[in-house]
Amino acid sequence: MTETLETLAKRVNQLEKVVAEMMLQLSQIVNTSKSADPKVHKIADKQNEAQAIQKMREHLGIADIELMPLEELRKRMARHGIRAEDNEFSRAIIEEREKNK
């Protein structure tokens, strides 16, 4: 059991580092896109975002797992009684969306 907890702690630490790197990369993308031609940067932004997400997936060891469309995920969650509002992280995302409306 201890080995499992240690392994989980290491993975959480790795995940936190990757998320921090992604946040930095995304903030750089946002700052760059504000200062130049939006059409040119829109394509570059999407490529940078895709690369950052792929890097994160590889780091987590899930690069080979096929992602399902968001709507399908929501349907599956609803079938199993899982509500995004019950999750602390999902609530934070929902609150931020509401602020930006």
Side-chain angles (χ1 to χ4, degrees), residues 29 33 37-51:
I29 291 168
S33 67
D37 181 14
K39 291 180 183 177
V40 172
H41 284 285
K42 192 175 246 187
I43 294 168
D45 288 349
K46 287 185 179 184
Q47 290 171 342
N48 288 338
E49 289 172 7
Q51 289 173 351

Side-chain angles (χ1 to χ4, degrees), residues 15-80:
L15 179 60
E16 288 173 344
K17 288 178 185 177
V18 170
V19 169
E21 288 175 16
M22 280 187 52
M23 293 298 289
L24 179 62
Q25 289 174 353
L26 290 174
S27 67
Q28 290 172 346
I29 291 168
V30 169
N31 291 338
T32 303
S33 67
K34 289 180 182 178
S35 63
D37 181 14
K39 291 180 183 177
V40 172
H41 284 285
K42 192 175 246 187
I43 294 168
D45 288 349
K46 287 185 179 184
Q47 290 171 342
N48 288 338
E49 289 172 7
Q51 289 173 351
I53 290 170
Q54 183 61 27
K55 183 179 175 183
M56 179 188 72
R57 294 181 74 220
E58 289 170 0
H59 185 74
L60 295 173
I62 59 171
D64 298 334
I65 298 173
E66 186 176 334
L67 300 177
M68 71 177 69
L70 183 57
E71 192 57 36
E72 176 64 24
L73 176 62
R74 288 181 176 154
K75 286 179 185 176
R76 287 186 184 190
M77 288 173 61
R79 272 186 268 162
H80 294 286

Side-chain angles (χ1 to χ4, degrees), residues 77-100:
M77 288 173 61
R79 272 186 268 162
H80 294 286
I82 300 170
R83 297 175 353 119
E85 300 83 14
D86 295 339
N87 180 285
E88 177 182 352
F89 298 108
S90 296
R91 278 196 309 271
I93 292 169
I94 293 166
E95 288 172 11
E96 284 301 314
R97 284 186 189 149
E98 294 299 319
K99 287 181 188 176
N100 293 324

